Amino acid sequence: MLQNESSQHVSDQNQPITVAKFGGTSVADYEAMMRCAQIIKNDSRNRLVVVSASAGVTNYLVRLSQKNIANDEQTKIIANIRAIQVNITQHLSTEVEQHLNDEIDTLLAQLAEQALNQSLQYSVKQADAILAFGEQFSSRIFAQVLLSIGIDGAYFSVQQVMKTNSLYGKAVVDIEQLKSACNDILAPKLTKQVLVTQGFIGQDGLGETTTLGRGGSDYSAALLAEALNAGNLSIWTDVVGIFTTDPRITDQARAIKEISFGEAAEMATFGAKILHPATLIPAMRQNIPVFVGSSKEPEKGGTQIKQKVDSNPTYRSIALRREQTLVTVKSPAMLHASGFLAQVFSILAKHELSVDLITTSEISVALTFDSPSGSTQALITSTVVAELEQLCEVTVEHGLSLVAVIGNGLNCAKGIGQSIFQTINDVNIRLICHGASANNLCFLVDEKDANKVVEKLHHELFSF
Ligand code: ASP
Ligand code: MG
């Protein structure tokens, strides 16, 4: 019997639901999944569960989605993925284990076939189909883990509602379609059962599988929360919330109890990548509070991200992002001329390069770029440089880190510059961005100085 009839977890239809998202480490193994199931059980508002792939699985799938992978490596990877998943299912009842393993093996056979095709003839479309398997496994398994502790959980294929364009690898979701599909298909089911669905994946108009980009499950969960008009979005991960800075840099770092959307958005963009940077956009549009906590230690609480917070300190946190590229473009023709920046940006847009920081002087412009996560490839290719050189002189520098001081009123409070820069007056600062946002002041330093800068600043601004 796969269904459990004695569910205590009944929905109150007048109460807004919570969308709960569990990241890869939260669904990594059976113990982790059980902790998550308990979290669902403890709060009956949790009606929709969005899962990532079990930790490590998507990385294996990335390898399988690449060109020219030898057949024996493919076989090994598929065996490793199977081992991760059946290590979980073996803890369920024999009947459920058998049923799940059959489903897993059917999916793995499809995966093997697609991986083989991919190694013979690569396509981005097929890469997405391969990448999407991880969430297919974890969501099926987690639904059964819920049933095993008496929650009426069921698997739901997100592809029924998460319709996207065909930009494989970073597909764009059709939000209006998502809303109406959630209304028609998902919401009625949620009144009856707790549904477990996949983050990260979608489906295009041709019925092909798409993905939203690495780490995209947070964003999927936020979009679903928005479409369902949820009361809360909980992001369960392996840290007890958002910290004042990366605890690996200083042991003085501590978890932040509450933070405004504006500050958290800056942190998600410039910070330690706890949240996918786009996550807060749907939450802000619909004013849905977001909770970030650890599924390992739910009793420790976490960080509440919301529109209105009780305190608005000048300094909330310090974020650090490594491996930044600084591009300086210089052209005497820019003097009193118009349209130069537009030309520079149109080249960057053509190559889909997104600029983070920008400062300008009369004849030069400095721009910074983040390196794509999980990739070491040069972002600013020789082609991009050559195209920019048609317009101006170009200098490209690597080995820099971006330090972002996040807080409130940073664009106008007195003495900000002094307290920050006096603390680190022995360090070479490459670029400063100040004034565009009340929530952020950021600058670039040499990679080798980065930890020291953050440690000193944290000590200066946060020890009281
Ligand atoms: N499983 C996907 C990844 O590892 C999506 C996610 O975890 O958010 O990138
Ligand atoms: Mg993740």
Side-chain angles (χ1 to χ4, degrees):
M1 198 180 64
L2 299 179
Q3 294 280 325
N4 189 315
E5 299 121 315
S6 63
S7 171
Q8 307 293 313
H9 200 81
V10 196
S11 104
D12 172 351
Q13 298 195 19
N14 301 317
Q15 184 172 257
I17 65 158
T18 296
V19 173
K21 182 261 171 180
F22 295 106
T25 50
S26 299
V27 292
D29 51 38
Y30 178 71
E31 287 70 32
M33 279 203 185
M34 277 303 263
R35 283 192 294 265
C36 297
Q38 210 52 56
I39 288 172
I40 297 302
K41 195 172 191 175
N42 288 346
D43 186 342
S44 66
R45 286 173 300 180
N46 288 314
R47 303 298 302 172
L48 179 65
V49 178
V50 179
V51 289
S52 287
S54 300
V57 171
T58 308
N59 287 346
Y60 280 132
L61 294 170
V62 167
R63 183 73 185 145
L64 286 182
S65 74
Q66 288 164 352
K67 286 178 203 164
N68 303 325
I69 306 299
N71 211 254
D72 55 343
E73 189 183 346
Q74 291 175 25
T75 312
K76 241 184 243 156
I77 292 177
I78 290 172
N80 290 342
I81 295 175
R82 186 176 196 280
I84 294 175
Q85 312 293 195
V86 301
N87 263 336
I88 309 177
T89 60
Q90 64 168 337
H91 295 275
L92 295 161
S93 72
T94 319
E95 195 190 349
V96 172
E97 178 191 7
Q98 191 55 50
H99 161 81
L100 278 172
N101 287 1
D102 287 349
E103 281 191 320
I104 290 167
D105 286 332
T106 306
L107 288 167
L108 285 173
Q110 293 165 13
L111 173 62
E113 193 186 318
Q114 292 180 14
L116 181 66
N117 289 340
Q118 185 73 329
S119 67
L120 301 174
Q121 196 176 16
Y122 176 88
S123 79
V124 279
K125 183 163 92 184
Q126 195 156 245
D128 264 11
I130 292 173
L131 290 177
F133 276 90
E135 276 71 10
Q136 292 292 352
F137 299 126
S138 59
S139 54
R140 283 177 168 79
I141 300 172
F142 191 70
Q144 290 296 339
V145 172
L146 286 181
L147 284 167
S148 79
I149 63 160
I151 297 197
D152 190 7
Y155 165 91
F156 179 80
S157 167
V158 85
Q159 292 187 310
Q160 296 180 61
V161 295
M162 197 67 79
K163 304 294 178 188
T164 71
N165 67 7
S166 300
L167 203 60
Y168 300 107
K170 45 177 160 180
V172 179
V173 175
D174 183 332
I175 292 166
E176 286 315 311
Q177 227 183 323
L178 174 65
K179 279 186 187 157
S180 69
C182 277
N183 251 321
D184 297 346
I185 309 170
L186 188 53
K189 290 188 197 291
L190 287 173
T191 60
K192 302 185 195 87
Q193 283 185 304
V194 175
L195 296 183
V196 183
T197 199
Q198 309 80 41
F200 180 54
I201 68 180
Q203 187 181 61
D204 70 6
L206 306 164
E208 303 286 351
T209 295
T210 55
T211 67
L212 312 187
R214 289 303 305 268
S217 293
D218 294 340
Y219 182 50
S220 303
L223 286 171
L224 286 162
E226 177 189 35
L228 291 162
N229 205 358
N232 285 285
L233 168 64
S234 302
I235 305 277
W236 293 100
T237 169
D238 51 7
V239 285
V240 293
I242 298 175
F243 277 69
T244 49
T245 199
D246 185 343
R248 286 167 302 189
I249 298 179
T250 166
D251 55 15
Q252 292 184 1
R254 53 179 188 270
I256 298 169
K257 280 287 149 224
E258 55 160 29
I259 182 169
S260 68
F261 280 133
E263 294 167 284
E266 299 282 357
M267 282 210 73
T269 307
F270 294 116
K273 304 198 168 162
I274 293 175
L275 286 180
H276 183 282
T279 311
L280 295 172
I281 301 169
M284 283 163 90
R285 275 196 299 252
Q286 192 74 23
N287 191 13
I288 301 170
V290 180
F291 167 83
V292 181
S294 165
S295 64
K296 265 198 187 126
E297 304 170 292
E299 70 288 351
K300 288 207 170 152
T303 303
Q304 294 286 351
I305 309 171
K306 48 192 184 183
Q307 200 167 54
K308 278 213 158 46
V309 287
D310 292 337
S311 71
N312 291 291
T314 307
Y315 303 112
R316 181 82 76 184
S317 63
I318 304 171
L320 174 64
R321 204 158 67 171
R322 298 177 205 274
E323 286 180 52
Q324 304 298 294
T325 303
L326 175 64
V327 176
T328 311
V329 294
K330 183 172 166 194
S331 166
M334 192 172 148
L335 196 64
H336 305 306
S338 57
F340 173 74
L341 271 182
Q343 282 175 295
V344 168
F345 276 93
S346 82
I347 293 172
L348 298 173
K350 192 174 95 191
H351 294 276
E352 290 180 25
L353 290 167
S354 142
V355 176
D356 280 338
L357 305 182
I358 166 164
T359 59
T360 68
S361 78
E362 185 57 38
I363 62 161
S364 63
V365 185
L367 309 152
T368 74
F369 300 87
D370 189 18
S371 37
S373 68
S375 150
T376 48
Q377 84 202 36
L379 197 61
I380 309 295
T381 58
S382 51
T383 321
V384 178
V385 173
E387 285 183 34
L388 288 171
E389 277 175 340
Q390 304 279 315
L391 289 178
C392 51
E393 274 171 46
V394 182
T395 323
V396 181
E397 292 169 67
H398 298 283
L400 295 162
S401 285
L402 188 158
V403 179
V405 177
I406 289 154
N408 294 281
L410 290 173
N411 54 343
C412 55
K414 285 195 184 110
I416 294 282
Q418 195 183 358
S419 25
I420 293 175
F421 295 114
Q422 205 162 41
T423 316
I424 50 169
N425 60 10
D426 54 340
V427 172
N428 191 16
I429 291 166
R430 286 292 291 118
L431 171 153
I432 301 173
C433 259
H434 182 210
S437 159
N439 296 128
N440 183 6
L441 179 156
C442 41
F443 52 90
L444 286 184
V445 296
D446 236 47
E447 196 75 59
K448 66 170 175 25
D449 295 326
N451 279 16
K452 183 178 77 180
V453 164
V454 171
E455 205 184 330
K456 275 187 149 183
L457 270 181
H458 192 277
H459 185 77
E460 173 68 21
L461 305 178
F462 292 88
S463 52
F464 37 77

